[in-house]
């Protein structure tokens, strides 16, 4: 089995985001970069599948050189090799990003592709679907369980739907699967794993070599931080009065009841 | 290039390789997720979290700087040091367990053991399937182990051990004890004594106020007979156990930084949040002076440990260099824990914060593996050529 994992490097969710002075983007200096948490589930599921079905796990990342650190993390967990598509200087929106990734998926002839259901930086939750469309293979996202048939031809996955219901989907391979929290418990990289990671190959490609440049469908118009949170209101006094006050605030100001 | 995710004021990260940084991060992750959530409970109940052993073994934490052929992870000494730093940021007891396993049990077997002993014990110890301990200290001989009373007498194809050891980490739960005893000619030799051997007992020493999440035991030998094949053939004289201590002290030089960082980080967070006289206490000069001292000493300690590790990797270090690392960094950690405890005020004495636990733990670390004073005297001897401790 040739198992692909789409992995994105994102700012740690605890990082306090700052904008560049001219507001043209993020100030990257203080950002701690990590593997997109949903992609960790994808790596883990890919590794488990490889342990059952044999084959290799290939990490595919579109990103700048710093993204290699996150790829090495996945290699330390047990993935076999990586492909990084450099995006420095390239102007790519979601659509183009997915085109690039789909091209790699086709070139590599993956039998199955795991990715996170969304990246926690922009929360777009669209790349899995786009990639599946462009690579012309089916997808399900998000998945909470994964099981492959013994002939490795199809998989059964569970997908949460509204109202706590579960949709059980049978999907043919090759396919793209978007991984959800709870699918598994990602392993820690072991020390021998980390030592081995440095010897595993990471191939480099340029996005321009994979797809012709096209007009962007989505342009970033600007960046803004969320407004400073206003100070809270504190109500004090006898319970009867306080409760009345609270109800009034919740109704009229917070408008939540 | 990624960075250490611990206190790193002088950009030590820039002096490290990518793997060394990844190992620090992996160890820190492990401690955050697996050690910190459970450590208080074990500290309160004075129990060692044995459930961590298979997890740590699975990740390669035991005997991490041993070559792969004996079950180790093949780390260099700097990466290994960063690992002990992070483990001790969790708890000195956890780091002690790993130090004993790697430096005091695997090391003597690896260095002084027969091929059969190595083949049998090293992979099992690295996998956590067997636990070991190291028995050198005796009730009447601590800083002066050369005076030990425990005796080993050859009887046919057996050795017969008599005597007692005290303050032995892991003793009660150990499957094998590396025991140091004098033969009839008065020479110190090493022996592997397995749990359950007739005449051998390892009762736990209770009521410690330090290193509570670590097992400490007595070892007693009453006409305890062991096969001659359990003697470590290469160990010949006191320098054998001392060479093991050098290994363990090296790990402690780094480990102590973890304790210091935990205290420093807790103190900084508290000083920024705690408001007195209408401002965060971190705004008072007397508090800032302490925080500055801590960060400066931790930074100096990091540079000391790093260079010590590079020298160890190159083989250019001596036990005297290791003495300085252990002596200085444990002292720094001890002072940091006291200062942090002060900064936390009354909260500094509850285990809601990690500081008091570290402060109590570091007292053991200050005393074991050569007391602070013994290291001063070892370095003093190096400087002057005059031995002051005898
Ligand atoms: C929690 C814990 C775990 C331990 N684990 C182990 C273990 O696994 N294996 C093991 O073998 N041992 C272990 N030890 C024992 C430890 O190594 C000894 O406690 C240590 O070597 C000091 O010996 P002592 O306690 O007998 O103190 P002593 O040697 O009696 O020293 C008492 C005081 O006198 C000072 N002193 C002694 N001689 C001199 C001198 N010449 N000049 C100036 N000052 C001097 C010392 O510095 C110290 O302050 C452990 C100890 C503790 C507390």
């Amino acid at each position: 089995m040739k198992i692909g994992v789409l992995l994105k490097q994102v700012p740690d969710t605890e990082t306090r985001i700052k904008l560049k002075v001219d507001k043209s983007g993020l100030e990257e200096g203080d950002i701690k970069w990590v593997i997109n948490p949903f992609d960790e589930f994808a790596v883990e599921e890919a590794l488990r599948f490889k342990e059952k079905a044999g084959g290799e796990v290939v990490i595919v990342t579109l990103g700048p050189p710093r993204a290699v650190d996150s790829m090495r993390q996945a290699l330390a967990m047990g993935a076999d090799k990586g492909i990084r598509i450099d995006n420095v200087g390239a102007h790519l929106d979601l659509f183009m990003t997915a085109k690039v990734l789909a091209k790699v998926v086709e070139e590599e002839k993956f039998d199955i592709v795991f990715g996170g259901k969304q990246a926690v930086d922009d929360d777009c939750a669209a790349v899995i679907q786009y990639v599946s469309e462009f690579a012309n293979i089916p997808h399900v996202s998000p998945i909470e369980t994964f099981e492959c048939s013994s002939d490795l031809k199809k998989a059964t996955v569970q997908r949460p739907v509204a109202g706590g219901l579960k949709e059980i989907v049978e999907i043919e391979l090759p396919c793209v699967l978007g991984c959800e929290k709870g699918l598994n418990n990602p392993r820690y990289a072991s020390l021998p794993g980390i030592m081995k990671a440095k010897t595993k190959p990471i191939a480099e490609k340029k996005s321009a070599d994979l797809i012709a440049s096209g007009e962007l469908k989505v342009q970033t118009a600007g960046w803004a931080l969320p407004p400073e949170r206003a100070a809270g209101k504190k109500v004090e006094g006898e319970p009867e009065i306080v409760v009345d006050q609270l109800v009034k605030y919740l109704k009229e100001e917070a408008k939540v009841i | 290039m990624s960075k250490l995710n611990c206190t790193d004021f002088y950009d030590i990260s820039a002096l490290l390789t990518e793997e060394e940084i990844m190992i620090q991060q992996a160890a820190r992750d492990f401690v955050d997720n697996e050690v910190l959530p459970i450590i208080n409970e074990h500290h309160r109940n004075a129990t060692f979290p044995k459930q961590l052993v298979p997890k740590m073994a699975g990740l390669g934490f035991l005997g991490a700087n041993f070559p792969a052929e004996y079950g180790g992870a093949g780390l260099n000494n700097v990466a290994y040091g960063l690992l002990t730093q992070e483990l001790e940021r969790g708890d000195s007891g956890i780091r002690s367990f790993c130090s004993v396993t790697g430096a005091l049990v695997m090391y003597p077997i690896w260095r002084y053991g027969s091929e059969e002993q190595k083949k049998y014990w090293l992979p099992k110890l690295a996998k956590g399937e067997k636990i070991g301990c190291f028995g050198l200290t005796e009730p009447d001989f601590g800083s002066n182990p050369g005076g030990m009373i425990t005796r080993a007498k050859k009887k046919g194809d057996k050795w017969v051990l008599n005597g007692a050891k005290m303050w032995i980490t892991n003793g009660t739960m150990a499957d094998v004890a590396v025991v140091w005893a004098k033969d009839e000619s008065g020479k110190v030799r090493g022996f592997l004594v397995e749990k359950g051997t007739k005449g051998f007992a390892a009762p736990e020493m209770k009521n410690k106020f330090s290193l509570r999440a670590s097992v400490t035991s007595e070892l007693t030998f009453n006409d305890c007979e062991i096969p001659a094949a359990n003697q470590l053939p290469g160990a010949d004289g006191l320098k054998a156990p001392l060479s093991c201590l050098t290994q363990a002290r090296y790990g402690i030089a780094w480990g102590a930084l973890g304790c210091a960082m935990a205290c420093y980080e807790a103190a900084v967070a508290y000083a920024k949040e705690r408001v007195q006289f209408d401002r965060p206490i971190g705004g008072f000069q007397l508090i800032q002076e302490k925080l500055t001292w801590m960060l400066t000493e931790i930074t100096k300690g990091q540079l000391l440990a790093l260079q010590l590790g590079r020298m160890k990797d190159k083989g250019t270090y001596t036990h005297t260099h290791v003495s300085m690392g252990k002596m200085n960094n444990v002292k720094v950690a001890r002072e940091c824990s006291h200062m942090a405890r002060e900064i936390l005020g009354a909260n500094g004495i509850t285990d809601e914060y990690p500081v008091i636990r570290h402060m109590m733990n570091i007292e053991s670390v200050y005393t074991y593996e050569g007391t602070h004073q013994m290291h001063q005297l070892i370095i003093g001897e190096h400087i002057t050529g005059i031995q002051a401790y005898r």
Side-chain angles (χ1 to χ4, degrees):
Chain A
M1 284 272 118
K2 194 160 180 190
I3 307 164
V5 176
L6 304 180
L7 182 146
K8 185 178 187 184
Q9 190 186 44
V10 298
D12 187 70
T13 43
E14 279 171 32
T15 299
R16 192 186 288 239
I17 298 293
K18 289 187 209 131
L19 294 186
K20 287 189 181 148
V21 191
D22 64 1
K23 299 214 165 44
S24 63
L26 305 189
E27 187 63 74
E28 292 205 355
D30 295 335
I31 294 180
K32 184 179 155 210
W33 296 95
V34 298
I35 300 179
N36 173 41
F38 292 110
D39 298 353
E40 280 191 41
F41 302 121
V43 174
E44 177 63 31
E45 204 57 31
L47 293 174
R48 288 183 189 192
F49 187 41
K50 177 184 121 172
E51 281 156 13
K52 267 206 195 120
E56 62 170 358
V57 173
V58 183
I59 305 297
V60 182
T61 297
L62 182 126
R66 63 166 152 73
V68 168
D69 288 345
S70 293
M71 299 178 76
R72 288 254 178 255
Q73 205 72 43
L75 296 176
M77 287 168 76
D80 299 281
K81 60 187 195 190
I83 300 172
R84 181 176 73 87
I85 307 105
D86 191 61
N87 64 353
V88 175
H91 292 284
L92 302 169
D93 58 7
L94 272 181
F95 189 86
M96 301 294 271
T97 298
K99 282 220 149 166
V100 173
L101 294 172
K103 188 72 199 262
V104 177
V105 168
E106 282 176 341
E107 279 185 2
E108 294 295 313
K109 301 195 172 58
F110 289 131
D111 296 299
I112 190 163
V113 178
F114 294 95
K117 67 162 185 173
Q118 71 197 74
V120 301
D121 52 356
D122 55 23
D123 276 336
C124 284
V127 164
I128 295 289
Q129 295 82 340
Y130 273 145
V131 167
S132 117
E133 181 66 25
F134 296 145
N136 205 20
I137 52 177
H139 88 273
V140 183
S141 182
I143 62 160
E144 292 177 327
T145 65
F146 169 78
E147 198 134 2
C148 195
S149 64
S150 53
D151 62 2
L152 306 176
K153 289 214 160 68
K154 52 183 189 276
T156 308
V157 298
Q158 178 180 305
R159 185 174 174 275
V161 282
L165 294 177
K166 307 290 181 192
E167 200 172 66
I168 313 287
V169 183
E170 205 178 78
I171 185 168
E172 267 177 39
L173 269 54
C175 61
V176 188
L177 300 171
C179 300
E180 169 69 296
K181 190 175 172 191
L183 174 62
N184 54 44
N185 225 338
R187 68 195 65 189
Y188 296 100
S190 72
L191 302 187
I194 293 172
M195 300 302 286
K196 264 186 236 138
K198 70 177 160 193
T199 61
K200 294 178 176 175
I202 296 182
E204 301 236 339
K205 299 187 182 224
K206 290 252 170 246
S207 54
D209 299 337
L210 292 164
I211 56 158
S213 64
E215 202 169 314
L216 296 187
K217 299 197 184 303
V218 178
Q219 303 260 18
T220 305
W223 296 79
L225 291 173
E228 292 270 335
R229 247 202 282 170
K233 273 210 166 78
K234 195 171 175 183
V235 281
E236 280 171 290
E238 292 301 314
E240 307 86 71
I241 302 162
V242 169
V243 168
D244 280 349
Q245 270 293 323
L246 273 177
V247 170
K248 190 166 164 252
Y249 284 145
L250 289 173
K251 262 195 182 138
E252 291 171 13
E253 299 201 10
K255 298 196 169 77
V256 291
I257 54 173
Chain B
M1 207 29 212
S2 59
K3 293 200 176 279
L4 293 172
N5 53 5
C6 61
T7 305
D8 182 14
F9 182 63
Y10 256 37
D11 195 18
I12 309 282
S13 302
L15 303 174
L16 300 173
T17 66
E18 200 180 317
E19 295 82 55
E20 287 162 355
I21 290 175
M22 278 175 84
I23 282 162
Q24 184 271 336
Q25 294 174 340
R28 190 171 178 108
D29 256 14
F30 176 83
V31 168
D32 282 345
N33 297 322
E34 308 284 340
V35 178
L36 295 183
I38 60 156
I39 196 63
N40 260 2
E41 209 48 38
H42 285 280
H43 184 256
R44 284 179 191 172
N45 301 333
T47 51
F48 173 73
K50 217 171 164 181
Q51 69 275 25
L52 292 180
V53 175
K55 292 184 187 180
M56 293 196 291
L59 294 175
F61 288 7
L62 303 180
N65 53 349
F66 280 83
E69 63 171 312
Y70 294 114
L75 261 54
N76 71 16
N77 283 294
V78 170
Y80 169 74
L82 288 162
L83 167 68
T84 61
Q85 170 191 302
E86 291 309 320
L87 291 174
E88 193 140 7
R89 188 182 68 94
D91 190 88
S92 300
I94 310 297
R95 200 270 307 137
S96 295
F97 178 87
C98 292
S99 289
V100 168
T101 304
L104 297 182
V105 181
M106 289 178 70
Y107 182 82
I109 295 174
W110 175 74
R111 174 134 179 220
Y112 304 113
S114 65
E115 207 45 47
E116 297 83 79
Q117 288 168 342
K118 291 189 219 185
K119 285 223 175 81
Y120 182 78
W121 287 108
L122 295 180
K124 290 184 177 60
L125 290 159
K127 285 195 199 115
E129 292 165 8
K130 299 278 182 189
I131 291 176
C133 70
F134 174 92
L136 178 65
T137 305
E138 298 186 354
D140 293 327
F141 293 90
S143 297
N144 177 24
M148 71 175 68
I149 299 172
T150 303
R151 285 290 183 278
K153 201 171 167 179
K154 194 80 187 272
K155 186 176 132 193
D157 59 353
K158 306 254 180 204
W159 282 97
V160 185
L161 300 183
N162 275 292
K165 299 288 176 183
M166 205 175 179
W167 302 112
I168 307 306
T169 303
N170 289 357
T172 309
M173 59 179 184
D175 301 292
V176 62
V178 174
V179 179
W180 303 95
K182 281 184 180 165
D183 67 12
E184 280 171 289
S185 73
K187 190 159 249 175
V188 174
R189 300 203 172 276
F191 303 91
L192 302 177
V193 182
E194 291 190 54
K195 189 180 203 152
T197 305
K198 199 160 162 266
F200 170 46
E204 186 168 354
M205 299 171 69
K206 302 276 189 190
N207 307 330
K208 286 183 303 183
F209 278 66
S210 170
L211 232 55
R212 288 174 61 77
S214 167
V215 171
T216 311
S217 316
E218 288 173 61
L219 309 180
T220 60
F221 307 94
N222 288 312
D223 288 329
C224 170
E225 283 189 13
I226 57 165
N230 283 20
Q231 188 211 332
L232 297 174
D236 183 12
L238 188 63
K239 62 184 186 306
L242 295 186
S243 72
C244 304
L245 296 179
T246 301
Q247 301 304 310
R249 289 164 183 172
Y250 169 75
I252 295 173
W254 282 93
L257 292 172
C259 163
M261 286 174 189
C263 294
Y264 167 73
E265 286 165 16
V268 171
Y270 194 82
K272 284 185 179 170
E273 264 176 25
R274 175 69 177 169
V275 172
Q276 285 296 290
F277 301 98
D278 303 324
R279 63 204 278 208
I281 59 169
F284 297 118
Q285 292 180 357
L286 290 173
I287 302 277
Q288 288 187 3
E289 187 266 343
K290 289 186 183 66
L291 296 175
T292 303
W293 188 91
M294 288 189 223
L295 179 58
T296 309
E297 291 306 320
I298 289 170
T299 303
K300 284 150 72 178
Q302 284 175 296
L303 292 167
L304 193 69
L306 177 62
Q307 175 62 0
L308 181 62
R310 296 285 182 232
M311 285 163 74
K312 190 169 188 311
D313 278 332
K314 279 201 213 112
T316 57
Y317 82 133
T318 66
H319 72 90
T320 323
H321 294 119
V322 179
S323 281
M324 187 178 281
K326 193 268 182 188
M327 174 190 75
N328 183 76
N329 287 5
V330 174
K331 169 96 171 168
V332 166
R334 193 186 193 214
E335 302 277 315
C336 284
S337 71
H338 285 170
M339 288 185 180
R341 203 225 59 71
E342 254 180 75
I343 290 172
L344 266 64
N347 277 321
I349 66 146
T350 79
D351 69 5
E352 299 297 316
Y353 294 84
V355 173
I356 188 75
R357 181 167 48 79
H358 282 298
M359 189 181 119
M360 289 170 17
N361 280 343
I362 202 71
E363 291 303 311
S364 288
V365 183
Y366 191 73
T367 289
Y368 73 22
E369 290 290 341
T371 66
H372 183 76
Q373 292 75 20
M374 288 314 293
H375 290 297
Q376 290 178 316
L377 299 180
I378 289 167
I379 299 168
E381 180 187 1
H382 167 79
I383 299 168
T384 63
I386 307 166
Q387 209 177 57
Y389 47 83
R390 251 177 239 289

